[in-house]
Amino acid sequence: MVHQDASRCLKCKNALCQKHCPVSTDIPKIIELYLNGENLKAQKLLFDNNPFSAICSIVCDHQRQCFGNCVLNFKKVPIHFYEIEQELSIPYLKEVHFTKNKITKEKIAIVGGGPAGISCALLLSDQGYDVTIYEANDKLGGVLTYGIPDFRLSKDLVYQYARILKEKGVKIRLNCHIGHTISLAELKEDYDGIILAVGAGDAKMMHIPNETRYNVHYAIDYLKAPESFDLGKKVIVLGGGNVAMDACRMANRQGYDTYVYYRKTFEDMPANKNEVEEAINEGIKFKTFEVPIAIDDTGMVFAKGENILDENGRKKTKIIENTEHHVDCDSIIVAVSQTLHIDFPELKLNKWNFYETNQGHMTSMDKIFVCGDAYLGAKTVVSAVEDAKEVVREVINSFNG
Ligand SMILES: Cc1cc2nc3c(=O)[nH]c(=O)nc-3n(C[C@H](O)[C@H](O)[C@H](O)COP(=O)(O)OP(=O)(O)OC[C@H]3O[C@@H](n4cnc5c(N)ncnc54)[C@H](O)[C@@H]3O)c2cc1C
């Protein structure tokens, strides 16, 4: 089936699928190799361009990227490139083995072992740098390990990276939160360069009355250990992104009567389209144009909202007057975005409370760079990989003067 699908590819010269892939995967070339039976070449090409190809084939927003932009959409029969990528990249990730890279260059510390940190480590190690990853948790993977649930992404795949990194000679120090015992200054003494790939791991508060109540939880905390929560019977999840979709699908699986309340429309939801569809199919109830106003003893107060355009043409929510209404529930899970946790107050911050950088990724301290969600704000796996490629270029340039 997948092969048959691939054979319909028009091999467009100016391929829109590739153009809309944040890591510019050479989709026509991959499909050509796949159809010629040159799978190993295709697999290597995919991995070398994006070491998270296997993961991206599962968690990327294909509807807004390769699949949704295939020219065959106009005939309503786009190529399911992500299925081809899954067939190629998943077995490759599990089975490929590497030999140790020879160290010929400077020592680099990478703080954070999520997609951004791992991508930086692989790229730098391949170029001869002496790389060590410091990870606060007991496993690598970042959000892939401690956020995205198993029913969406098998941890089997994520755990392959520890093996691959070790095979290549990257050193890994787990359970080591830089900024606690070891300071950034100490790390700087021992390394020629540091990349902070620390993610955006703090939930954003809504700052509405009673948000500190015992039955209000943040989705990223809940998703780390859902079994440790007792949410009562009825749960309201607030938000419309991937985190909200994971939280509501998890709560629904745990048997809670689950609702999602979102301030705009379905079309405005930043979550992957297929995640929203899955949530609806699983029976989760959605309410749109609902703006959270306050939390009280028996649930929440919402007001109805509407979409308006601000002076810059950006869509905003306007609260409609006199539409406040109360909704009963036992627990509330807030999933309205994440932000950077400041572990390194010695670095200057910008107006968004992220580390200030020069035109690129270098922070206010020489040879200390920042990348991934910690640089971009809460984004996606594929954007973390693309950002890692950029920061690696900058780090290497900084050594080459
Ligand atoms: C629930 C959820 C669902 C998501 N779903 C999707 C999806 O479907 N598709 C998609 O593309 N993206 C999704 N994302 C976003 C995606 O996972 C992130 O954009 C991506 O993981 C960012 O990678 P990163 O390496 O920058 O950060 P992270 O993955 O957050 O990794 C940062 C790592 O740094 C470590 N760390 C932090 N501070 C320190 C310190 N001081 N010392 C040592 N280690 C430290 C953390 O423990 C963590 O392991 C989702 C995010 C969440 C939370």
Side-chain angles (χ1 to χ4, degrees):
M1 277 294 279
V2 178
H3 213 268
Q4 211 176 343
D5 194 35
S7 66
R8 295 188 299 107
C9 175
L10 299 180
K11 301 187 187 75
C12 307
K13 273 222 172 89
N14 189 10
L16 290 178
C17 51
Q18 176 171 4
K19 216 167 151 192
H20 285 86
C21 170
V23 283
S24 301
T25 302
D26 191 346
I27 294 175
K29 181 80 190 156
I30 301 291
I31 293 185
E32 188 190 318
L33 292 168
Y34 175 71
L35 289 172
N36 290 341
E38 297 180 90
N39 281 13
L40 194 59
K41 268 193 192 163
Q43 289 167 318
K44 200 169 152 11
L45 196 60
L46 281 166
F47 186 87
D48 289 350
N49 178 57
N50 172 11
F52 282 81
S53 164
I55 308 281
C56 287
S57 71
I58 298 168
V59 304
C60 266
D61 194 347
H62 308 119
Q63 193 70 48
R64 292 190 176 106
Q65 295 167 6
C66 52
F67 177 71
N69 286 287
C70 171
V71 282
L72 289 173
N73 262 302
F74 77 94
K75 283 189 175 170
K76 300 211 177 352
V77 282
I79 309 283
H80 298 71
F81 175 70
Y82 58 92
E83 289 182 1
I84 303 169
E85 193 176 17
Q86 276 169 20
E87 195 176 311
L88 292 166
S89 291
I90 292 176
Y92 186 75
L93 183 66
K94 286 183 179 168
E95 289 154 22
V96 67
H97 285 282
F98 295 94
T99 49
K100 211 170 187 168
N101 287 320
K102 205 166 153 203
I103 296 172
T104 55
K105 296 182 184 155
E106 285 86 347
K107 270 177 83 179
I108 298 180
I110 295 175
V111 183
I118 294 174
S119 302
C120 289
L122 291 170
L123 292 167
L124 287 164
S125 167
D126 285 347
Q127 302 233 20
Y129 289 91
D130 182 1
V131 183
T132 305
I133 297 181
Y134 291 83
E135 167 55 53
N137 283 316
D138 64 350
K139 286 191 182 64
L140 292 182
V143 165
L144 307 184
T145 303
Y146 296 99
I148 301 182
D150 287 8
F151 60 80
R152 212 150 66 80
L153 179 67
S154 158
K155 300 291 171 277
D156 245 30
L157 290 179
V158 185
Y159 298 159
Q160 300 301 325
Y161 288 97
R163 172 185 60 78
I164 290 174
L165 287 161
K166 282 180 201 156
E167 284 176 357
K168 284 186 180 256
V170 173
K171 287 151 228 142
I172 301 167
R173 187 159 164 185
L174 298 173
N175 299 303
C176 183
H177 195 122
I178 301 299
H180 287 177
T181 304
I182 299 178
S183 68
L184 198 56
E186 268 140 351
L187 212 57
K188 204 165 183 270
E189 274 189 22
D190 290 343
Y191 286 90
D192 303 301
I194 299 174
I195 299 176
L196 305 174
V198 291
D202 275 3
K204 264 194 190 163
M205 283 185 82
M206 296 182 295
H207 297 292
I208 61 172
N210 291 325
E211 198 171 337
T212 57
R213 276 179 57 103
Y214 78 100
N215 59 343
V216 183
H217 308 285
Y218 293 98
I220 49 169
D221 301 328
Y222 166 63
L223 287 166
K224 275 181 202 150
E227 64 289 344
S228 62
F229 286 72
D230 177 0
L231 303 176
K233 283 193 177 126
K234 180 174 168 185
V235 174
I236 289 183
V237 176
L238 301 171
N242 283 324
V243 184
M245 292 310 111
D246 282 342
C248 73
R249 295 180 67 197
M250 178 58 86
N252 192 46
R253 276 171 171 71
Q254 288 189 302
Y256 299 110
D257 182 19
T258 310
Y259 288 74
V260 172
Y261 276 64
Y262 183 55
R263 55 171 54 224
K264 291 184 181 157
T265 67
F266 276 106
E267 292 69 44
D268 298 314
M269 286 185 179
N272 297 359
K273 294 283 173 211
N274 64 315
E275 293 308 316
V276 180
E277 279 164 23
E278 295 280 351
I280 294 170
N281 293 340
E282 287 167 10
I284 293 153
K285 285 130 321 210
F286 282 76
K287 305 278 176 188
T288 53
F289 282 134
E290 296 280 359
V291 186
I293 300 293
I295 292 159
D296 62 26
D297 283 347
T298 54
M300 281 202 67
V301 177
F302 291 93
K304 293 306 286 182
E306 63 182 340
N307 278 346
I308 55 158
L309 294 181
D310 68 10
E311 62 277 10
N312 301 316
R314 273 193 307 253
K315 225 184 235 182
K316 284 224 156 137
T317 307
K318 183 176 170 232
I319 292 176
I320 304 172
E321 273 178 36
N322 303 321
T323 57
E324 290 192 2
H325 53 285
H326 187 271
V327 181
D328 284 350
C329 69
D330 299 305
S331 292
I332 293 147
I333 298 181
V334 183
V336 297
S337 193
Q338 290 83 242
T339 188
L340 177 73
H341 180 84
I342 307 297
D343 272 316
F344 313 115
E346 58 270 52
L347 298 175
K348 279 191 193 153
L349 298 180
N350 62 24
K351 62 177 174 183
W352 299 282
N353 268 341
F354 278 67
Y355 297 123
E356 186 184 282
T357 53
N358 62 1
Q359 305 249 331
H361 292 70
M362 182 138 62
T363 65
S364 52
M365 280 189 182
D366 191 34
K367 297 276 194 288
I368 300 184
F369 298 80
V370 58
C371 87
D373 274 8
Y375 176 75
L376 302 164
K379 282 257 172 161
T380 59
V381 176
V382 71
S383 50
V385 175
E386 180 55 14
D387 201 47
K389 289 169 142 187
E390 261 180 53
V391 84
V392 162
R393 277 193 289 272
E394 285 178 37
V395 170
I396 293 175
N397 283 344
S398 79
F399 289 132
N400 295 339

